[in-house]
Amino acid sequence: MPSRRRAVAPRFTMTRELTLVAVTVGLTVIVGLLNHDFVGAQNLRFMLLNSVVLSLVALGQTLVIAMRGIDLSVAPILGLAAMVCGLLAQTHGLSLAVALPLALCIGLVLGTINGVLVATMDIPPIVVTLGTYSLYSGLTFLYSDGTQVDAVPPTFAAFGNGRLFGIVPLPTPVVVLLVVLALCWYLLRHTGFGRAVLAVGNNAAAAYAAGLPVTWVRIRVYALSGTLAAFAGLMFLCYTGSATVTAGTGDHIELQSIAVSLIGGTAIAGGRGNLIGTVLGSLFLSVVLTALVFLHVPPIWYSAGEGLMILAAVQAGFGRRGARA
Amino acid sequence: MSALSDIGTPAATDAPMGRRRRRFLSMGGWELSLLVLLVVVTTGFGLVVPGFFDDVSGFLAMSSNFLPFGIVALGLSLVIFTGGIDLSVGATASLAAVVAAQLWATMGLNIWVASLLGLAMGGVLGAINAAVIVFLRIEPLIATLATSFIYTSAAVAVAGDSPPSGFPDAFNNMGSGALALGSFQFPYQLLLFIPLAVIFWLLVGRSAFGRKLVTVGYNSEAARYSGIRVPRVLAAAYVISGMMAALAGLVLSAYYSAARADMGDVLLLTTIAMVVLGGVSIFGGEGSMGGVIVAVLLLGLLRQGMLIAGFSDMVTSMLTGAILIGSIAIRNVFSTRVGGFGKRLLAFIRRPAAAGPDTNRHDAP
Amino acid sequence: MITARRMLVLAATATLAMASVVSAQTVDTSKRIKVAMVPKLVGLSVFKANQQGAEAAAKTLNIDFLYTGPVTASAQGQVDVFNSLIARKFDVITTTSNNPTQLAPALKRAMKQGIKVVSYDSDVAPDARDFFIQNTEYPAFGKALVDSVAKYIPADSEVAILSSTKDATIQNEWINALTAYMKTAYPKMKIVTTEYGQSDPSKSLTAGLNILQAHPNVAAIIAPDGASEVGAAAAVQKLGRTGKVFVTGCSNPDAIRQYVKAGVIKASPLWDEVKEGQLVMHVARLAANNALKPNDTFSVPGLGSYTVKDKVIIFSEPLIFTAENVDQYKF
């Protein structure tokens, strides 16, 4: 059994990324020919922006999946962070400088709880995060007391929509995403921790036998996933300017993040994580959904279009299963 | 590989005597603990919460509120036994139900004929899932996520602006009616669920198909080398799962006397929780149907009891989540079967290396 | 259980004193009753505003008030809550439904047990409730929605609709009403697309952005749903089309205040949700007393007089929020 999982040569992951870029650009060009507004600067900017929150969540999810885990609780963690920061900002004038560390702390704590349960109690990750999914959404309800966030202070809105220092040519969230991506990529590709994540995903027993701190690695990855989800929650709040109790869970962002991770070339069986692919996958999804609108597809078929495109993207490359069946 | 000596795993099947003994032991293990918990929960609520157990008929009637989840859980278990997952059960339930309802409402078909076609529709949807998984070789998780999106669109399209409602009373009875035996009322849903539960229990525990299912889930390569037609087994599992989801959708539309395109959405997460709590390993190849059936009753009655006791929906969901984690944690601590502390300890005492490949099996999603 | 009962008795005797003061009104409040308010889901400000009004009214009407609902906007969640309320022997259930058909059997079960059912906001099937409190009449609200944008755009403009879901009863009624009114009052206006935001703020925002990008000539978005109006307004602001595209809908004033002040929303109809909550409790009390007939009139101190017609009570005319009055309302 363990023999069927192998580290994959970088050549393949590069192909995966190129495929995604080609498919995304191709789709953009085709729809752009049919409707010129699709390739207008403004629409391109929004297709980028619309993918940021999902990308942030999916980066954490990718690390978890690469470690042969899964994290369903990212959705309520996103919602709770957005709700707590949003309500505090709305009623007590919480500043962004405080909201940022607060959100990260929330994610860190909740993610660590997931990690501890998975790593020390040996409970399957899907069970743990299904359970904490209910628990964390409950916390959001308790905290919100049935209200919602309607407006955020100008600094929040500027962080979610403006440009960094007013001069950088890209919107702030996109810059932030690129920075986070770079950090995660470095972490996974160029640190001992990253190699440990892949080793655990590849064969936990072998990793343990090789002397890697498997339990500790697992806790840290879930903590990281939680932190990124909470950060995405803050970004969601700043970008949309609102938050309700169903933020995150209403979109099923947990399933979306798994989908784009797999589209991006991360293996569900673990041992392989493609962070750049994940971000490209999320951008691809954003382009697909916008294209459906520009092609005047009736709204009821958006969901089907998304499903078909997920199948096509996964089929096109390495998201599929290995040697099973 | 100590797991190979466990019940329900392939190694156990080549020693009939041993199998019987171990199966008995298994009923004395996790399943029995769940059963004890079920009795404790039921009597506890019955004693403390007024309105939970006023009379037998009223108590049984409560089952109509959660048995559709149980019906889905039976089918989904088969898929999870194979090491797969079916995220499309909710969308399948909705689509089959609205298709049947529209056949009745717009084509004037008899409601039972329409229901049979709905059931067949569920089988077809399951077959599509299987085809995507087997022929396109896409992971079940992502395959059924994608098909669930497609089925959802189709359900919304079929349902239209004002989905059908107000079915004949005979049909509605299947969801909310009860068979009157004198003053005693026996809900039709329970009447439907009991034989299904027995059939699935026999199917998994006593039939060749059940053994193949578990073998595929335990190690599909080994299954293939031992001559099992893996694609056929997978197809059967997904088709049955689709049909059971469709059946649940039909029962729900009878329960509500209405069909809606979003009706099945609530089924998925609760049903997975039921299967997992029932002791089926999410990685496939392990578990028993008996556990799932008890878990269905346990989670269902627990939720009903808590709601009647006056807990809000939110608190009820939170506690259900906590119980899910807690019970699996407790099982792992005490079990020698799933790589828990107890097992590690035993493995360490007996032969330190034994825990190796097995621990690996249990850390996948 | 015993202590709980004892507390109920204590509470009942304590409130008897208060009840005797209130009984100066026409409503008989001598018997303490249990009334539940079940919104589509807990966690939206508009329902919270209903609760505010209801809770205040419940105190004066000798009502044991419970606000409870599902955590997701699903019929299954509401039915579970109804079943528990039936088992707990509530006197009245008041609810706004996630959809009209699915809740009917459970509510009929409740009525069979002698529980009164009062629906408000979004109705259930007529034979599954005793009374329905309709926010406003559909044609009046459709007219208010169209007028809220039509005044500010050319008569031959393109208009888009951003609704909640395809089968949302109340939204579809409003869309029918506004389409009919638009045909007669503004015959040259054209509805170019109808999108759905699933009552979710982020999906509504994306849908709003998509509408504006894919239909660049759209001059107004009518979004008759709490979340979608906010999403549409945010989309207009993000694309810098303020002053060129106008939005209206039916969100609560707290949610739209910033957009009203920014000029994205010139006018937005709704009704006073707090007062509606009060009316719901009054009707619940009257229903429990069997003091209300299917065709009847009654008056509520502080709210005015109401007519019951075929078990339906119209709550009010649309209340239009504009930059001038939006700050007077906090909910």
Side-chain angles (χ1 to χ4, degrees), chain B residues 193-234:
Chain B
F193 184 75
I194 290 173
L196 281 174
V198 172
I199 290 170
F200 273 81
W201 188 61
L202 292 175
L203 188 70
V204 172
R206 291 282 184 272
S207 78
F209 173 71
R211 283 194 292 278
K212 285 181 190 165
L213 206 64
V214 172
T215 311
V216 168
Y218 189 76
N219 186 336
S220 72
E221 267 176 274
R224 192 157 57 87
Y225 290 134
S226 62
I228 295 175
R229 291 179 190 155
V230 176
R232 196 173 284 188
V233 173
L234 286 180

Side-chain angles (χ1 to χ4, degrees), chain B residues 1-2 343 347 350-359:
Chain B
M1 302 275 284
S2 54
K343 172 183 173 177
R350 285 180 193 157
R351 15 168 209 158
D358 238 56
T359 316

